[in-house]
Amino acid sequence: MIIRVATAADAQYADQLCQWYIDSAKTRGTGIAKREPAYVAQKMASGDSIIAFVDGELAGFCYIETFDDKTFVVNSGLVVNAEIRKSGVGRAIKQGVFNLSRSKYPNAKIFGITTSLAVMKINTELGYKPVTFSELTSSEDFWKGCRSCKNFGILMENERKMCLCTGMLFDATNAPLVQLQVPDFTADNQAQLPVSPSSAS
């Protein structure tokens, strides 16, 4: 497995990743915000994403977004090739994008909203805590991303205070400085990822 920071040259995979987002939403039967290939390619070019390969084939992806003058960071769009799920790829990508976030934005609060139990478990291991939506960013740019989700009506009916997603937050200001271990199967590629202090719970 190779896990690294994506570059502009990886834009060739943007269409495939966006199709994976669509397929994942259909399979899970839950709302997943739609992504456009141009947006995914921009995240690659800016150094704000992690990409994974297994045996030379695209295996997964995740990217960073910032809000409120970079005081909030979200690790968004985690997707793994459906044929190799439950093999640890998603966990390794989450570790990589978390390290990247802590390296580029060390004082920011890292958050996410998800309906995936697997993502919730990984987030908990990384030090995230479940929170109400009021503790997350109030940026319109973030919440407008939910418009393409089939559950957007539920979110708006609840005045953006709750939905089917669970909000999770990692607050660096309250976290002990403990280095998380990168999974053994990514050890050969660890040097490619920015490593920074983080917390485990």
Side-chain angles (χ1 to χ4, degrees), residues 79-123:
V79 66
V80 174
N81 183 342
E83 296 180 1
I84 57 172
R85 286 178 186 159
K86 298 184 179 180
S87 65
V89 175
R91 182 181 300 275
I93 293 172
K94 281 287 288 183
Q95 175 72 73
V97 79
F98 182 79
N99 285 357
L100 182 62
S101 299
R102 295 285 284 130
S103 177
K104 296 188 72 170
Y105 311 102
N107 298 316
K109 294 180 179 180
I110 306 174
F111 75 99
I113 60 173
T114 185
T115 57
S116 169
L117 180 60
V119 172
M120 291 179 205
K121 288 180 177 178
I122 296 170
N123 283 350

